[in-house]
């Protein structure tokens, strides 16, 4: 292949081949860096820059020592539609009263964050807006939302947004459209401060939803853990496949 590839054109061609399913093996694994470098006749630096962009766009995830894999959630995003509302916004739409009774935010470094998407790589100097919100449902403790937003995308988060709908804020105030959300539901143990809010003992179980939110263009904008009181939480999700 004699074409001269810059990072943008290299990234675009790899995306094209991912969508055509002509690049990865049956397990979704991409060829090794050496094979890709030889195929495109590019340097290791150029290839890694392209792979980094693909990771940030959500097309691939990288596992240390094992290689790069296609992120099927991202690839399949155009095959289905699904509500981009959070569970709390769905409840509010039904007429139930949800309130944020406490909220904090601060700027933190990569070394200070408690969790992040396993398929995402960040530079050592990446900063995040850490947000914690304590919310009630019909005046009873309902959930704690622990989130990280990328400040270079969302800018400053206003006090009004902290106590309102973050989806509305991103859409109406920032002009950002959340295109798809990966959700991972599991059980975790409550920390002392979260247990106190729920009026439960420390280390009691909590139904936890991990959210990774991506813009329509595929760029990660935020990731969260939402802790629900297991005694009151009922989660419902409806997914409609396009005809």
């Amino acid at each position: 292949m004699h074409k001269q590839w810059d990072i943008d054109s290299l990234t675009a061609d790899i995306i094209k081949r991912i969508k055509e399913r002509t690049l990865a093996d049956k397990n979704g694994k991409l060829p090794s860096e050496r094979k890709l470098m030889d195929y495109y006749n590019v340097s290791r630096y150029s290839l890694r820059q392209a792979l980094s962009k693909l990771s940030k766009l959500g097309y691939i995830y990288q596992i240390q020592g094992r290689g790069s894999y296609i992120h099927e959630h991202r690839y399949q995003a155009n095959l289905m539609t699904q509500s981009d509302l959070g569970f709390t916004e769905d409840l509010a739409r039904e007429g139930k009263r949800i309130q944020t009774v406490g909220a904090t935010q601060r700027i933190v470094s990569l070394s200070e964050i408690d969790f992040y998407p396993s398929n995402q790589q960040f530079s050592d100097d990446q900063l995040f807006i850490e947000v914690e919100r304590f919310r009630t449902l019909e005046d009873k403790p309902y959930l704690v939302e622990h989130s990280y937003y990328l400040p270079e995308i969302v800018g400053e988060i206003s006090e009004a947004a902290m106590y309102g709908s973050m989806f509305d804020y991103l859409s109406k105030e920032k002009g950002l459209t959340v295109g798809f959300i990966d959700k991972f539901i599991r059980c975790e143990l409550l920390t002392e401060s979260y247990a106190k809010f729920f009026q439960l003992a420390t280390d009691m179980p909590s139904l936890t939803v991990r959210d990774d939110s991506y813009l329509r263009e595929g760029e990660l904008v935020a990731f969260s853990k939402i802790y629900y009181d297991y005694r009151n939480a009922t989660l419902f999700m409806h997914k409609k496949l396009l005809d």
Side-chain angles (χ1 to χ4, degrees):
M1 180 170 290
H2 302 292
K3 179 175 178 177
Q4 295 296 312
W5 301 93
D6 59 26
I7 294 171
D8 288 339
S9 62
L10 177 59
T11 303
D13 194 75
I14 294 176
I15 290 173
K16 176 176 176 290
R17 295 185 65 200
I18 286 174
K19 290 182 176 180
E20 293 173 346
R21 295 191 177 274
T22 59
L23 184 61
D25 64 18
K26 64 180 181 180
N27 296 315
K29 184 178 181 181
L30 271 61
S32 67
E33 286 191 357
R34 171 52 57 189
K35 289 183 178 179
L36 288 172
M37 288 164 55
D38 291 344
Y39 180 84
Y40 285 105
N41 192 27
V42 295
S43 66
R44 186 179 300 274
Y45 172 82
S46 294
L47 177 63
R48 288 187 171 178
Q49 289 296 304
L51 293 177
S52 177
K53 289 189 67 173
L54 289 166
S55 178
K56 289 180 179 178
L57 289 171
Y59 282 98
I60 67 169
Y61 61 95
Q62 296 169 301
I63 301 177
Q64 185 69 30
R66 293 179 58 186
S68 299
Y69 293 78
I70 291 175
H71 186 188
E72 288 294 334
H73 296 292
R74 174 64 182 91
Y75 175 76
Q76 294 173 354
N78 64 330
L79 302 181
M80 61 186 69
T81 58
Q82 181 172 311
S83 169
D84 63 356
L85 296 174
F87 293 117
T88 55
E89 283 77 6
D90 286 328
L91 286 171
R93 187 174 55 185
E94 296 174 3
K96 296 187 177 181
R97 186 159 55 90
I98 296 172
Q99 290 181 297
T100 299
V101 296
T104 62
Q105 67 170 296
R106 64 180 183 133
I107 300 295
V108 297
S109 65
L110 179 63
S111 63
E112 295 175 284
I113 66 176
D114 293 333
F115 58 90
Y116 56 86
S118 60
N119 64 334
Q120 198 75 28
Q121 290 188 332
F122 298 107
S123 62
D124 291 340
D125 59 354
Q126 175 69 53
L127 297 177
F128 306 86
I129 304 174
E130 181 184 50
V131 172
E132 285 187 300
R133 301 201 297 172
F134 296 80
R135 313 192 76 183
T136 60
L137 174 64
E138 302 294 340
D139 296 323
K140 295 181 180 180
Y142 182 55
L143 66 84
V144 177
E145 177 187 317
H146 186 188
S147 304
Y148 296 98
Y149 292 84
L150 298 181
E152 63 269 25
I153 298 177
V154 304
E156 295 183 359
I157 300 176
S158 69
E159 190 75 3
M162 294 279 288
Y163 283 85
S165 168
M166 292 299 297
F167 279 101
D168 285 348
Y169 177 71
L170 293 177
S171 176
K172 296 176 182 178
E173 300 296 328
K174 298 296 183 177
L176 300 172
T177 301
V178 176
F180 62 99
I181 304 172
D182 290 342
K183 291 182 181 289
F184 308 87
I185 302 175
R186 58 178 297 178
C187 183
E188 295 192 15
L189 302 181
L190 291 170
T191 63
E192 182 178 358
S193 62
Y194 293 174
K196 183 177 180 180
F197 173 69
F198 290 125
Q199 300 175 16
L200 291 170
T202 302
D203 289 339
M204 285 291 285
S206 169
L207 185 61
T208 305
V209 178
R210 266 274 294 109
D211 281 358
D212 298 337
S213 298
Y214 296 85
L215 298 181
R216 185 165 51 194
E217 298 79 11
E219 189 171 6
L220 180 71
V221 63
F223 48 98
S224 308
K225 272 189 182 181
I226 304 175
Y227 299 83
Y228 291 87
D229 186 334
Y230 74 93
R231 299 167 298 183
N232 300 319
T234 300
L235 305 184
F236 169 80
M237 184 179 295
H238 172 72
K239 181 170 66 177
K240 179 182 179 182
L241 299 180
L242 294 178
D243 296 330

